[in-house]
Amino acid sequence: MSLCFQPAKSKDGFQAKEVKPVSSQASPSEAASSQPQQATHTSSHPRHKRVQDHEKERRELFSKPPAQTAEKRGEGGEVEPPPDTSSDPPESCSDSRGCQSGRERGGLSAEQPFIKLSQEEYGEHHSSIMHCRVDCSGRRVASLDVDGVIKVWSFNPIMQTKATIMSKSPLLSLEWATKPDRLLLLGSGVGTVRLYDTDAKKNLYEMNIDETHPRILSLACSPSGSSFICSAAALSGDSPPRLPVSGQLLLWDTKTVKQQLQFSLEPDPVAVNCTAFNHNGNLLVTGAADGVIRLFDMQRYESAMSWKAHDGEVYSVEFSYDENTVFSIGEDGKFIQWNIHRCGVKQSEQALAQDATGPFILSGYSGYKQVQVPRGRLFAFDSEGQHILTCSGSGGLIYRLTDGEPALESVLSLGGHKAPVVTVDWCSAVDCGTCLTASMDGKIKLSTLLAQKS
């Protein structure tokens, strides 16, 4: 049964909630760096020069004829050896899994879709990462750790810290604004959302969302305007035992800095863990603590469908490339693809290891153990939606999406981490993609990939 949406209906907005304008002077609690700082382990050469060199190597390799498999015989009947067309693979291709089939007959194997050109480390955080997101332009990264420290940094042509934000109140979520993309939304654990200008290095507004639901678990900016979705949840101890935590799903506007409406969450108002828009902002998909995925029509501002998706909480949810399906990861350790035209119908399902879904565990000396519940994005797609990047105990893992069983086919292990990876992001541009993997020891690895074109 296909979804059929009606034209947008006008709705009256809610009463404006209290908004605190922030003066142009940064407060003592908000320390933004005035000078860009050189990050650790930066590259000795500009990134774009290195990528161009590898692109040139790739073209040269593909332009060479394949080695002759059969021997040629000369006029005198003597056997002529086949011509030497072998060529060394790119020096940067050092990953054994990614390159084990790349030295075949002087060319690159079409079965391996990516070559790992390089891997750099951003090491400015000193505690476990919660969120790590690239902005819409692919120029800047915002990363948040459990101590409430936010770093805004760039990686092209070199790694540089642009701003450091210190927060007195605990922060739980962050999201880049779509328009303008210099703005950063920061959700706290005390019922506020701050709008931060990364160019001016100052707070613009602080929005008071709801005192009864102080934990801002998820933020999502509409790609078609200035509005954003805010998921607010009650404190865990305020809910009855064995029942999901209470929550609200709200629509706010960054221009008017006012709440526009509150969505109905059926059958009960429950905490929403993750939110994602489709490409034009007409659809919104959410995953909640009750294991239910809800699909909202953003033209009519109402729920289009919902279904029980996971045993336990839904941790991460995203639209597929063609937007006919959604993918989700839940507390039950399953990665599932759902058909949005047939409510609750699975297209594929695969169990993942615990180090890909959480809760994430970091063990140390003398029985020390740190446990972290998933907060950030647990998977991300490449530019064509054919491959997926997930978390693991020692680095990011890239899989190819298949139409059969199993649903995921292992392609490349990025590695490089000594602690569990807890969140990922994938920034794609033409043939060169950048994978971000962030771990519990505060390290963020930036892996530059070259996509092979058959």
Side-chain angles (χ1 to χ4, degrees):
M1 179 177 64
S2 300
L3 293 177
C4 182
F5 298 119
Q6 301 297 322
K9 297 181 180 179
S10 61
K11 283 184 175 274
D12 295 332
F14 277 42
Q15 291 293 324
K17 298 211 173 183
E18 181 183 358
V19 176
K20 297 178 182 177
V22 180
S23 64
S24 59
Q25 298 294 327
S27 63
S29 64
E30 304 296 332
S33 63
S34 58
Q35 297 292 333
Q37 302 172 356
Q38 186 74 23
T40 58
H41 303 277
T42 56
S43 173
S44 59
H45 299 286
R47 176 184 305 278
H48 60 84
K49 177 67 165 57
R50 183 171 65 250
V51 171
Q52 288 175 356
D53 291 343
H54 286 293
E55 176 66 16
K56 182 180 178 181
E57 261 184 358
R58 185 179 69 86
R59 287 198 299 266
E60 290 175 352
L61 288 170
F62 280 122
S63 65
K64 293 184 178 183
Q68 298 294 327
T69 56
E71 297 175 339
K72 289 185 178 180
R73 293 186 177 272
E75 294 179 359
E78 297 181 357
V79 176
E80 296 181 2
D84 182 12
T85 59
S86 62
S87 174
D88 293 332
E91 294 178 3
S92 58
C93 185
S94 58
D95 189 284
S96 60
R97 296 191 188 186
C99 303
Q100 61 187 0
S101 60
R103 299 182 178 92
E104 297 179 3
R105 301 193 179 183
L108 296 174
S109 171
E111 296 179 358
Q112 176 53 255
F114 301 104
I115 298 174
K116 187 172 74 173
L117 300 181
S118 65
Q119 187 176 78
E120 301 167 84
E121 179 180 284
Y122 184 79
E124 296 294 307
H125 288 279
H126 303 291
S127 60
S128 181
I129 307 297
M130 295 174 64
H131 293 273
C132 185
R133 296 296 302 273
V134 185
D135 70 358
C136 299
S137 66
R139 294 182 293 113
R140 288 167 295 193
V141 178
S143 48
L144 165 66
D145 63 35
V146 296
D147 290 336
V149 178
I150 301 149
K151 299 283 184 177
V152 178
W153 48 285
S154 62
F155 55 85
N156 194 356
I158 59 174
M159 247 183 224
Q160 282 187 329
T161 299
K162 300 295 186 181
T164 299
I165 311 163
M166 310 290 289
S167 176
K168 288 184 177 179
S169 58
L171 295 177
L172 301 178
S173 55
L174 69 77
E175 173 74 342
W176 285 102
T178 309
K179 299 174 183 177
D181 62 4
R182 72 176 188 276
L183 301 182
L184 193 62
L185 291 166
L186 305 173
S188 76
V190 293
T192 61
V193 173
R194 278 182 285 168
L195 195 61
Y196 182 82
D197 190 321
T198 59
D199 285 348
K201 299 183 177 64
K202 67 178 183 180
N203 289 318
L204 300 181
Y205 293 101
E206 185 174 82
M207 296 162 264
N208 290 312
I209 306 299
D210 189 346
E211 293 181 356
T212 62
H213 296 83
R215 295 189 301 139
I216 311 302
L217 298 183
S218 180
L219 298 165
C221 288
S222 172
S224 60
S226 60
S227 60
F228 70 92
I229 289 292
C230 172
S231 165
L235 297 174
S236 300
D238 295 344
S239 300
R242 297 185 299 278
L243 288 179
V245 175
S246 173
Q248 294 181 341
L249 191 64
L250 311 169
L251 184 68
W252 276 70
D253 191 282
T254 57
K255 287 185 178 179
T256 63
V257 203
K258 294 179 180 178
Q259 180 181 313
Q260 293 178 290
L261 60 91
Q262 177 177 339
F263 290 91
S264 174
L265 296 173
E266 300 294 341
D268 298 302
V270 65
V272 172
N273 293 329
C274 46
T275 53
F277 281 99
N278 72 331
H279 79 284
N280 59 12
N282 287 340
L283 293 174
L284 173 75
V285 64
T286 68
D290 58 359
V292 174
I293 290 179
R294 295 170 174 85
L295 190 69
F296 292 89
D297 176 1
M298 294 303 292
Q299 293 181 313
R300 300 171 62 184
Y301 299 116
E302 64 183 24
S303 176
M305 63 174 64
S306 62
W307 64 91
K308 180 70 173 179
H310 292 274
D311 293 328
E313 303 191 25
V314 182
Y315 284 150
S316 198
V317 65
E318 298 286 343
F319 279 96
S320 64
Y321 181 77
D322 62 10
E323 299 184 351
N324 288 316
T325 63
V326 294
F327 290 89
S328 63
I329 287 180
E331 188 178 3
D332 54 9
K334 294 179 180 178
F335 176 76
I336 305 178
Q337 182 181 16
W338 305 93
N339 189 325
I340 66 172
H341 301 292
R342 301 174 64 192
C343 183
V345 174
K346 296 179 186 179
Q347 287 203 186
S348 66
E349 175 182 331
Q350 179 149 336
L352 298 176
Q354 181 181 339
D355 59 6
T357 63
F360 303 103
I361 300 173
L362 180 63
S363 300
Y365 298 107
S366 303
Y368 169 80
K369 182 181 290 186
Q370 180 182 346
V371 180
Q372 182 171 326
V373 176
R375 294 292 185 198
R377 179 179 291 187
L378 295 183
F379 63 95
F381 295 103
D382 69 341
S383 60
E384 297 178 353
Q386 299 299 313
H387 298 87
I388 184 174
L389 171 66
T390 70
C391 303
S392 83
S394 59
L397 293 177
I398 296 178
Y399 295 91
R400 179 185 290 109
L401 294 170
T402 70
D403 295 327
E405 294 293 337
L408 299 176
E409 178 185 331
S410 181
V411 167
L412 182 62
S413 174
L414 298 179
H417 284 275
K418 297 180 180 179
V421 170
V422 295
T423 185
V424 299
D425 204 359
W426 195 333
C427 175
S428 299
V430 194
D431 284 341
C432 184
T434 301
C435 292
L436 292 169
T437 53
S439 61
M440 292 183 73
D441 59 2
K443 306 301 182 185
I444 301 173
K445 296 290 184 178
L446 190 146
S447 303
T448 302
L449 305 181
L450 186 66
Q452 295 191 60
K453 302 296 182 181
S454 56

